Amino acid sequence: MNSYQYHVRHFIDGEYVDGVEGKTFETLNPATNQPIGVVAEGTAADIDRAVKAARTAFDEGPWPRMKAEERARILRRIADGIERRQQQIAEREVADTGVPISQISKGAIPRAAYNFDYFAEMTHRVTGESYPVEGEFINYTVRRPVGVAGLITPWNVPFMLETWKIAPCLAFGNTCVLKPAEWSPLSADVLGRIVQEADLPPGVFNIVHGFGETAGAPLVAHPGVQMISFTGETTTGMEIIRNGAATLKRYSMELGGKSPTIVFEDADMERAMDGALWQLYSLNGERCTAGSRLLLHRSIHDDFVGRLAERVEAIRVGDPTDPRTELGPLIHPDHWQRVTGYVDLAPQEGAAVLVGGRRPEALPGGNYLEPTLITNVRNEMRIAQEEIFGPVMVVIPFEHEAEALRIANAVKYGLAAYVWTRDNARGHRMAHAIESGMVWLNSHNVRDLRMPFGGSKYSGIGREGDHYSFELYTEVKTVHVAIGDHRIPKIGLG
Ligand code: NAD
């Protein structure tokens, strides 16, 4: 009989509840692969219960009818609750995901609180358009909440990504059911307590835990749900769109990536090196916007790779609860297999594993992997085309700007890109021509929440953030008002 540290239940209609069918599953600590929590395993019956609660809260409850300022006050209280419980959330997240504590507590959790503060402000910024027509009409638009949202999230930085969806969804007066990823259910669980303490009306926010096929899929297919905001793998996104067709869902899709970091010969090499390293090896390399293809100008290639290799070797791999750790264990043994599968593929494709690629000798348990640097890579190789989602960087040389651009774009994804050059004109030229939703010039991924977030090509559909979130979470209604006696054609007069 296992004694678990964490007992996670669904959160439905303002209360923590067991699953209808009483099923459970275990969650593992990636540093040991020991079970640390037992989690309610949701099925279609739980989803139905949660959607009904969200539906009632939307159709009959106060939330969509509240004044914006009242909703904003509750959202700010949720932000405060996250700040008060920062340590508890961070501990759970590290235990669940293996991402180093320094990166969770300094980055992901403060950002989660900020998501609520930010969208509290946005409740006041829902605008409309108005067009007067020659003294006859005033036509205008209003934005109304849509209804019930299904929010489906992945396991990398789960708490930040969950709140990134919940905050705008609630800000505009919708209600929702969150289905967190099955490999990382622990931190979301704290949100139930936080929303209770913030006096969010029951049913406005619900959580059903469980697996994609048995809990996520019924949420997507449920006729009581109008929209799905999904973050996860591209193939899952495709499946969700297929499954939501019969109930005509609207979607936001934040999907996978294989983003280039491009370093030109005139770049500030020190900063480019820092940026390239952080952008791939932080968050254990499990980040959608990872700069996972490093494109280096031929003239700097050997020198850059030499110094990069020294830095990669020096990355501190270890216990994610240790504040000095820079790279923790991968989330799950299955994911470790997948990532190391790509490392094994590299020599078969003709590439060279220059650094890492194996389990560190000092860390025999858990899902640890040495930070890995692969050279002699051609962009056509699978290791350069497919999302590895781990601490594995592939390096590709280029001769000139046009070739850098061609390589950057010759991939099915289009999420992010990072360009390092001191030539401003070239930087902007590249930024405009690269096929991706976001480009950072001379910077790693520093988010500005006023800017839209999302990807092009196979990396996603739609943008979220600031007023871009209105597109998903509000319904635009057009109102035509006659203010004069415009001509009405007469029929039926014989
Ligand atoms: P995943 O697609 O396996 O799972 C994501 C979520 O979808 C989980 O909650 C899962 O249970 C659920 N799910 C799976 N099958 C489903 C189905 N048929 N119906 C409904 N729900 C289903 O992704 P993951 O492995 O958890 O996360 C890693 C992926 O997420 C990577 O591809 C990464 O690039 C992507 N990601 C993208 C962004 C972005 O903003 N673009 C951010 C973070 C992660």
Side-chain angles (χ1 to χ4, degrees), residues 290-311:
S292 48
R293 289 182 298 151
L294 178 62
L295 277 49
L296 295 178
H297 189 264
R298 179 82 66 187
S299 66
I300 56 156
H301 177 276
D302 293 355
D303 187 46
F304 199 95
V305 166
R307 288 194 288 142
L308 184 64
E310 284 170 21
R311 293 276 298 269

Side-chain angles (χ1 to χ4, degrees), residues 152-156 161 179-182 211-213 216-217 220 230-233 236 239-240 243 254-257 288 387 389 415 453:
I152 302 179
T153 47
W155 46 258
N156 67 316
L161 290 170
K179 208 299 280 169
E182 52 269 41
F211 296 90
E213 298 73 20
V220 171
F230 171 74
T231 299
E233 278 192 28
T236 314
E239 171 84 7
I240 286 176
N243 291 343
E254 300 194 342
L255 309 175
C288 55
E387 186 181 40
F389 220 56
L415 189 55
F453 184 95

Side-chain angles (χ1 to χ4, degrees), residues 151-157 160-162 164-165 179-184 210-221 228 230-241 243 253-258 286-290 331 335 338 387-389 413 415 438 453-455 458-460:
L151 311 178
I152 302 179
T153 47
W155 46 258
N156 67 316
V157 277
M160 194 278 283
L161 290 170
E162 287 151 5
W164 170 239
K165 295 188 185 303
K179 208 299 280 169
E182 52 269 41
W183 286 351
S184 60
F211 296 90
E213 298 73 20
T214 42
L219 181 59
V220 171
I228 298 290
F230 171 74
T231 299
E233 278 192 28
T234 298
T235 49
T236 314
M238 291 171 174
E239 171 84 7
I240 286 176
I241 290 175
N243 291 343
M253 290 275 154
E254 300 194 342
L255 309 175
K258 191 76 179 178
E286 298 162 333
R287 64 191 301 165
C288 55
T289 53
I331 182 131
H335 189 55
R338 181 190 141 125
E387 186 181 40
I388 299 177
F389 220 56
Y413 296 109
L415 189 55
M438 298 165 287
F453 184 95
Y458 279 58
S459 290

Side-chain angles (χ1 to χ4, degrees), residues 245-269:
T247 47
L248 209 65
K249 294 289 187 300
R250 59 163 76 186
Y251 298 105
S252 162
M253 290 275 154
E254 300 194 342
L255 309 175
K258 191 76 179 178
S259 303
T261 295
I262 306 170
V263 185
F264 284 97
E265 67 284 4
D266 63 347
D268 177 332
M269 292 302 156

Side-chain angles (χ1 to χ4, degrees), residues 69 156 163 177 181-182 281 325 338 474:
E69 181 48 33
N156 67 316
T163 54
V177 178
E182 52 269 41
Y281 297 102
T325 292
R338 181 190 141 125
T474 67

